[in-house]
Amino acid sequence: MAAQQQLLKAEKVSRVFGGLKAVSDVNLEINDGELVGLIGPNGAGKTTLFNLLTGVYEPSDGDITFSGTRVNGLKPYQITKRGAARTFQNIRLFGEMTVLENVMVAYNMHAQHNLFSSILRLPTHFKGEADMREKAIEFLKIFNLESKKDEIAKNLPYGEQRRLEIARALAAKPKLLLLDEPAAGMNPQETTDLMNLIRWIRDEFKITILLIEHDMGLVMGVCERIYVLDRGQMIASGTPEQIRTNPKVIEAYLGQEV
């Protein structure tokens, strides 16, 4: 069996806001094909770390390497083009656009544009648009959203909005998908469906997934490894079984074994 190749590495990464260290000397490594969780109390620095990994913030100290390239200082769209896509704790769809248009936006990132044909509206321009539309519809079928393709995104029920956000992220053809609290606001059945969807996405698309989540049933049920943040510091990492019995994690977050 071939050794797994490292995809993402954070080495002694810190972020300071007005003298406060929101993230302090964090180390994290994720290999190709892994499904990894990031947990911790509210205010632990989880979303700040996601923002550092995806270029929303630049580290005050330390290095972030993605696919063998140091990405400190790159803009979010530059990191996305290199193969890292994310969702947000608060869903960020293009609310006034249709479901189909939301996915086509992601496909558009990888389209081979020809400015001349676009300006003159040549046949090659329309063929490119038609190809993107066809690919986007096929993608919506995968997520059972094809029948909603012409609906305005903000009018979808919450669970379908979350699925659309994940579909849009995957349409960007990422190597790494970062999910920020994907189960937030979901009922137990929706959470179970989401857990199955996350497993299926990893296996079907052969990508790596890193997720922040408070639902411990989902985290323990789907993740192969888990990192734990508390007050901006990484206090533990390991398998779900190691994490659920770790005294530091129990004291800081779980309260009791789960």
Side-chain angles (χ1 to χ4, degrees):
M1 182 177 176
Q4 286 182 304
Q5 189 170 10
Q6 187 183 89
L7 181 64
L8 177 70
K9 183 176 183 178
E11 191 170 15
K12 299 186 75 66
V13 167
S14 298
R15 174 67 191 195
V16 178
F17 295 103
L20 173 68
K21 268 196 173 183
V23 170
S24 180
D25 294 325
V26 163
N27 295 308
L28 176 146
E29 294 184 18
I30 301 176
N31 297 320
D32 273 332
E34 285 195 297
L35 211 169
V36 179
L38 177 63
I39 65 172
N42 288 327
K46 302 182 299 295
T47 295
T48 298
L49 181 56
F50 256 38
N51 286 336
L52 289 164
L53 297 175
T54 56
V56 176
Y57 301 143
E58 185 174 357
S60 303
D61 293 293
D63 288 307
I64 299 171
T65 304
F66 179 64
S67 270
T69 301
R70 185 175 180 270
V71 295
N72 292 44
L74 293 186
K75 301 296 184 186
Y77 78 89
Q78 294 173 313
I79 294 177
T80 299
K81 280 199 166 186
R82 281 166 168 77
R86 70 173 291 183
T87 65
F88 292 85
Q89 182 177 348
N90 300 312
I91 295 173
R92 296 189 189 179
L93 295 170
F94 298 109
E96 299 298 333
M97 294 169 64
T98 67
V99 169
L100 179 61
E101 287 168 342
N102 266 270
V103 177
M104 286 181 69
V105 165
Y107 272 115
N108 195 53
M109 178 178 296
H110 295 281
Q112 298 300 312
H113 293 289
N114 183 304
L115 183 60
F116 182 74
S117 66
S118 296
I119 292 173
L120 296 183
R121 314 295 281 176
L122 297 178
T124 52
H125 166 76
F126 292 106
K127 184 180 186 305
E129 288 286 316
D131 288 345
M132 272 196 296
R133 179 183 175 84
E134 185 177 338
K135 287 178 182 176
I137 289 174
E138 288 301 314
F139 216 80
L140 289 175
K141 287 179 183 177
I142 294 172
F143 288 87
N144 296 317
L145 290 169
E146 184 193 9
S147 64
K148 306 290 182 76
K149 64 181 174 59
D150 296 319
E151 290 194 23
I152 299 300
K154 70 178 184 181
N155 295 335
L156 292 179
Y158 184 87
E160 290 183 350
Q161 286 191 34
R162 183 63 79 183
R163 290 212 314 275
L164 176 57
E165 189 183 37
I166 294 172
R168 186 181 63 183
L170 285 170
K173 301 179 182 177
K175 303 173 189 173
L176 172 66
L177 177 63
L178 301 100
L179 303 173
D180 191 349
E181 296 198 28
M186 289 189 172
N187 62 41
Q189 183 56 54
E190 287 173 331
T191 300
T192 298
D193 293 342
L194 176 67
M195 184 165 64
N196 294 330
L197 177 63
I198 290 170
R199 282 199 199 99
W200 180 84
I201 287 169
R202 194 275 301 271
D203 296 339
E204 180 71 16
F205 291 90
K206 304 293 189 292
I207 64 172
T208 306
I209 296 176
L210 173 63
L211 68 94
I212 293 174
E213 187 50 65
H214 282 293
D215 189 305
M216 286 299 99
L218 189 153
V219 171
M220 297 294 177
V222 78
C223 293
E224 298 157 340
R225 289 195 301 119
I226 300 170
Y227 285 96
V228 188
L229 269 178
D230 183 35
R231 299 176 187 177
Q233 296 184 318
M234 200 70 79
I235 63 170
S237 65
T239 65
E241 183 57 34
Q242 290 169 334
I243 294 302
R244 68 160 49 95
T245 57
N246 185 303
K248 284 185 179 180
V249 179
I250 293 170
E251 180 182 359
Y253 184 49
L254 299 181
Q256 60 182 4
E257 295 184 17
V258 295

